[in-house]
Amino acid sequence: MSVSKQADVAPTLRPPPALPADGMVISANFSVGGFSKRWNHCHQLANFLARYASANEDDPERHATLLSTFFNELLEAVYRNHGPSGEIKIRFRKSQNHISVEAEVPVNEQSAKFYNHAVQLVNQPDPMSWYREILENDVPEEDAQALGLLELAVVYGSKLSITEPTGGGWLLLAIQFPFTEVDEL
């Protein structure tokens, strides 16, 4: 007598993607001194944060690759432009089809000037024309440091803003990255 066996059903290795949820994805706090001393690990930090933020997406590898690029540019800007001491706080939030990144950065007069200049460049009427022209010519030093942030705005359509609280000593840098169907412009 033969008994039919129930077909083996292979378990899925990954749950179906979650619907886009609003709210906090991940946050990271680190000291200026520790961040500066371990700068050579920046790409690892950017990759970790990107993979974490992309874990439940339809195409997590694609999203992780894009977010790693975004996060790496942000971390590089913070590394090059921060105050001499304090704590850097980064928060990643998901909102419909965007990831919003807020970075509280300790600043001195020079680094605050850099962020204000970067926001001015990004928010000019035609940043794409400016960006193309700057790539074809010599880049002034103050603009060269902002190129990574500017590329995020020009190439990926990210939005950049800053808030400087009264009392100084730090500022809030906010970048909104498109997260679904990101295509280079």
Side-chain angles (χ1 to χ4, degrees):
M1 168 178 196
S2 99
V3 177
S4 61
K5 290 171 82 177
Q6 182 178 2
D8 288 337
V9 177
T12 58
L13 299 176
R14 152 175 260 116
L19 294 174
D22 289 353
M24 179 68 72
V25 175
I26 190 170
S27 65
N29 297 354
F30 35 88
S31 72
V32 165
F35 181 59
S36 296
K37 286 179 187 173
R38 292 170 184 84
W39 170 244
N40 57 338
H41 299 293
C42 175
H43 69 284
Q44 293 170 331
L45 176 60
N47 288 343
F48 170 78
L49 294 170
R51 286 190 176 279
Y52 188 92
S54 302
N56 290 329
E57 297 303 319
D58 288 336
D59 188 353
E61 288 301 318
R62 178 176 182 266
H63 286 285
T65 299
L66 286 168
L67 287 178
S68 180
T69 299
F70 297 155
F71 297 161
N72 196 58
E73 291 298 342
L74 170 66
L75 291 171
E76 186 173 327
V78 169
Y79 170 72
R80 296 182 191 285
N81 302 284
H82 59 72
S85 63
E87 189 172 67
I88 298 165
K89 300 175 184 177
I90 299 178
R91 291 180 295 276
F92 305 96
R93 289 186 166 83
K94 187 183 293 186
S95 167
Q96 297 298 325
N97 57 355
H98 289 87
I99 286 282
S100 297
V101 180
E102 295 175 341
E104 286 183 27
V105 183
V107 293
N108 55 21
E109 187 177 327
Q110 180 181 352
S111 54
K113 191 176 181 180
F114 162 80
Y115 290 111
N116 281 300
H117 182 67
V119 169
Q120 285 177 335
L121 292 174
V122 168
N123 293 321
Q124 61 185 312
D126 188 8
M128 179 61 91
S129 294
W130 177 88
Y131 179 71
R132 285 183 179 148
E133 182 179 320
I134 217 69
L135 290 178
E136 293 172 2
N137 300 305
D138 290 335
V139 181
E141 181 60 33
E142 65 181 17
D143 293 351
Q145 287 189 9
L147 274 179
L149 293 175
L150 298 174
E151 286 176 0
L152 296 178
V154 172
V155 176
Y156 296 102
S158 300
K159 296 179 178 141
L160 178 69
S161 64
I162 59 169
T163 305
E164 293 183 81
T166 55
W170 65 280
L171 59 76
L172 181 67
L173 174 66
I175 305 176
Q176 188 178 61
F177 301 111
F179 192 62
T180 57
E181 301 304 319
V182 174
D183 291 316
E184 292 185 16
L185 299 174

